[in-house]
Amino acid sequence: MILLFGGTTEGRKTADVLDFIDEDYVYSTKTEVVSHHKGKNLCGEMDRSAIVSFCRANNVGLIIDAAHPFASQLHQNIHDAANEVKTPVLRYERQYPETASHPNITSFESFEQLTQAILRSHYLKILALTGVQTITALQPVWQSRTCYFRILDTSLSRQKALNTSIPNHLIIPMHPSGDEDELQLLVKKTGAQLLLSKESGSSGFTETKISVAQKMGIPLWMVKRAPLPHFDYVVDSPKELLQQIYRLRKTILKKEGVLRTGYTTGVCTTAAAKACFLALAEKKFPESVQLSLPNGEQTGFLIFPKTLTQKQAACTVIKNGGDDADVTHGKEIGCQLTLTTKEGISFLQGQGIGKVTLPGLPLPVGEPAINPMPRKMISEMLQHLSGAYELETGFEVTPFVPDGEKLALQTFNARVGVVGGISIIGTTGKVKPYSNEAFLATIGYQLSVAHESKINRVVLTSGKRSENMLRPLYPDLPDTAYIHFGNMVGQSLQLATAQKIPQITMGLMFGKAVKLAEGNMDTHSKKSTFNARFAATVADKCRYPISISLKIAGLTIANAIQHIIPFSATEPFYLEIARRCFDRCSALIPKGIKFTFVLLNDEGLKIKINKE
């Protein structure tokens, strides 16, 4: 559950994003607002105590402060309450234009300071764009000068103005906008010699006020926003907000007992390409697009435009990888679409997209790493839309990932010959959390590249640590030869033998090796656990004293055996474990392939067994 404080442009933008991704939230505003958002509305002021009570009663995992920058007391209440209940706060901050370089802008620390400066000045006609809440603070000004106040055109704002006893002719109810002509007309109508404003940022139309003041040659006096308390996270755009919420879904917003699915880079690229087509056809980007996945399921993506010309468009979407361990989760995935006179659809390598440099992948060497299924999805989508819009043209499709080159360093791309960035992948369009199918597909690609690269030996290891321990045994092997299988011993061996690679080495740490020795070809803790009785039986077979077997039978973790029987390359217990692992694996190895099993421990000691 998220508690959102709004009543501002930022509050509405936040609610829009949360609605789109179906995130649960309550929307709190000081006054009653007409809202069409999905979140439950909560109306009325909330002090620190009320925020604390609400968070505890509703299991709030995140507070979003999207309130007005001048709501200083509310910001402090949120900060103090969050500290008390140990709930993180995300601040949706406004974007603020640079004002220091404008000579006709004067900044003030407070309304008191602003009031004193006006009373000392020669300005007699003033237009205050500071809102109804500041009428009382500027009372000395409108009592001694002609000071008009532009306020929101709502019954609540008009009533608040009446309660201040300000003369009615000084009140101008209207809805602010970024229309410069509208503001210039208002300045002329009031004869204002001075404009007043709060430092309210881009969503408060500060740029419009600055531009009008400059064009009309009148000064703009502005009250600076007060410093905000420290917040755990700060964003200033819907894109940054969406990225942060996706990241937090893996931690504080994670749903207990639920694994969220996500979407592949291929689907993300297709969504961006569709938005680019629509932008070129309709001369503006859509706010979102809907896609049909290969299985017929519908999904939507928010669109974040980059560029748009007559012949070219570019935009990004934010990758939602669900609960899968995905390096691209929460990152921008983009596409540039160019209309061409050449028939057909060509795919080009954009920023952060890798290039295929080795044979073995389902793409020719030299091509950008955009797999066949994403190419098919994008091509079919463009052909369908071209027919619907009666547009005869060719296309250049250029996927890009701004962080792709850095992200690729966290993947196995280099080992399969994809250099310069990540791959655009996906078969079903959806990412299943911790998917064995996806992991096995990666192993299969690596083995295929090893085979096509004429590598005579592959080294299968459960992870980076065991790989580093095995490298001294094979110092001349390239990175491409080392393949991580995680826990899937049996399936990885079958994939390796299917490629007819002449020599296979498998290295396994002792804890996983005990499971394999018993016959568990998947060593994941969800599939198999340490069987102390089995280990004790092995000790009995090796003729250890009964006292040793009894100690082993009472253990809960395999590595504790090494405190009872020290690990060495000649110790019978470990030799027997290694032989049993070797035998389990050998049953899957056809004749003609040389197999080696290496048992490892935390200190890097090894027991090596071969088969010709």
Side-chain angles (χ1 to χ4, degrees), residues 329-405:
H329 178 73
K331 300 295 183 180
E332 285 188 272
I333 308 294
C335 187
Q336 176 181 283
L337 188 66
T338 305
L339 305 182
T340 68
T341 55
K342 182 181 176 181
E343 288 186 9
I345 299 169
S346 58
F347 290 85
L348 306 181
Q349 181 186 13
Q351 176 191 5
I353 302 298
K355 179 180 286 187
V356 178
T357 63
L358 294 175
L361 294 177
L363 293 168
V365 171
E367 277 290 303
I370 308 163
N371 280 10
M373 179 55 78
R375 291 179 185 235
K376 182 174 182 288
M377 287 178 62
I378 294 169
S379 298
E380 288 179 351
M381 177 271 298
L382 291 175
Q383 289 164 359
H384 171 75
L385 288 177
S386 295
Y389 280 81
E390 298 182 350
L391 186 63
E392 294 185 8
T393 182
F395 298 97
E396 286 182 351
V397 179
T398 310
F400 62 91
V401 179
D403 293 331
E405 196 166 350

Side-chain angles (χ1 to χ4, degrees), residues 169-451:
H169 72 277
L170 296 179
I171 297 300
I172 306 172
M174 60 187 300
H175 290 292
S177 72
D179 189 330
E180 288 190 18
D181 292 337
E182 182 183 78
L183 183 54
Q184 284 189 56
L185 184 62
L186 182 60
V187 172
K188 291 176 182 177
K189 182 179 178 180
T190 58
Q193 303 163 318
L194 172 66
L195 289 179
L196 306 182
S197 177
K198 294 183 289 191
E199 187 185 13
S200 52
S202 296
S203 58
F205 309 112
T206 298
E207 290 97 337
T208 300
K209 298 170 187 176
I210 293 172
S211 178
V212 169
Q214 286 181 320
K215 288 179 180 179
M216 302 192 72
I218 60 177
L220 173 61
W221 287 8
M222 190 177 297
V223 176
K224 293 194 289 187
R225 66 193 190 279
L228 292 172
H230 170 76
F231 295 113
D232 300 276
Y233 314 100
V234 179
V235 302
D236 67 2
S237 69
K239 180 172 71 176
E240 286 188 0
L241 173 66
L242 182 59
Q243 290 178 298
Q244 190 62 66
I245 295 297
Y246 278 159
R247 287 192 286 265
L248 293 177
R249 276 184 168 182
K250 289 185 176 289
T251 54
I252 59 175
L253 297 178
K254 185 174 177 62
K255 292 185 176 181
E256 197 66 32
V258 176
L259 286 177
R260 291 183 171 104
T261 57
Y263 299 98
T264 63
T265 49
V267 165
C268 292
T269 305
T270 305
K274 181 176 182 179
C276 287
F277 180 97
L278 295 174
L280 290 166
E282 299 179 2
K283 310 308 178 188
K284 67 175 183 178
F285 276 99
E287 292 183 0
S288 64
V289 296
Q290 294 292 313
L291 278 187
S292 293
L293 302 184
N295 64 1
E297 181 182 331
Q298 292 286 118
T299 188
F301 290 84
L302 291 173
I303 301 301
F304 302 100
K306 291 282 188 182
T307 60
L308 177 59
T309 64
Q310 187 176 357
K311 296 291 185 180
Q312 190 177 84
C315 69
T316 63
V317 301
I318 303 303
K319 168 74 180 291
N320 172 19
D323 283 318
D324 195 51
D326 184 352
V327 299
T328 57
H329 178 73
K331 300 295 183 180
E332 285 188 272
I333 308 294
C335 187
Q336 176 181 283
L337 188 66
T338 305
L339 305 182
T340 68
T341 55
K342 182 181 176 181
E343 288 186 9
I345 299 169
S346 58
F347 290 85
L348 306 181
Q349 181 186 13
Q351 176 191 5
I353 302 298
K355 179 180 286 187
V356 178
T357 63
L358 294 175
L361 294 177
L363 293 168
V365 171
E367 277 290 303
I370 308 163
N371 280 10
M373 179 55 78
R375 291 179 185 235
K376 182 174 182 288
M377 287 178 62
I378 294 169
S379 298
E380 288 179 351
M381 177 271 298
L382 291 175
Q383 289 164 359
H384 171 75
L385 288 177
S386 295
Y389 280 81
E390 298 182 350
L391 186 63
E392 294 185 8
T393 182
F395 298 97
E396 286 182 351
V397 179
T398 310
F400 62 91
V401 179
D403 293 331
E405 196 166 350
K406 288 189 293 184
L407 294 173
L409 300 177
Q410 304 174 48
T411 72
F412 292 117
N413 273 14
R415 298 195 179 190
V416 297
V418 174
V419 299
I422 67 165
S423 304
I424 301 299
I425 60 173
T427 52
T428 64
K430 296 192 74 172
V431 176
K432 296 179 181 178
Y434 312 107
S435 166
N436 285 352
E437 292 85 353
F439 190 52
L440 285 170
T442 300
I443 294 172
Y445 283 142
Q446 293 180 75
L447 288 165
S448 176
V449 169
H451 171 72

Side-chain angles (χ1 to χ4, degrees), residues 128-150:
L129 307 172
T130 52
V132 71
Q133 303 281 12
T134 65
I135 294 176
T136 300
L138 293 171
Q139 185 171 351
V141 175
W142 53 262
Q143 286 181 334
S144 60
R145 317 284 170 103
T146 301
C147 182
Y148 297 96
F149 285 83
R150 186 184 68 180

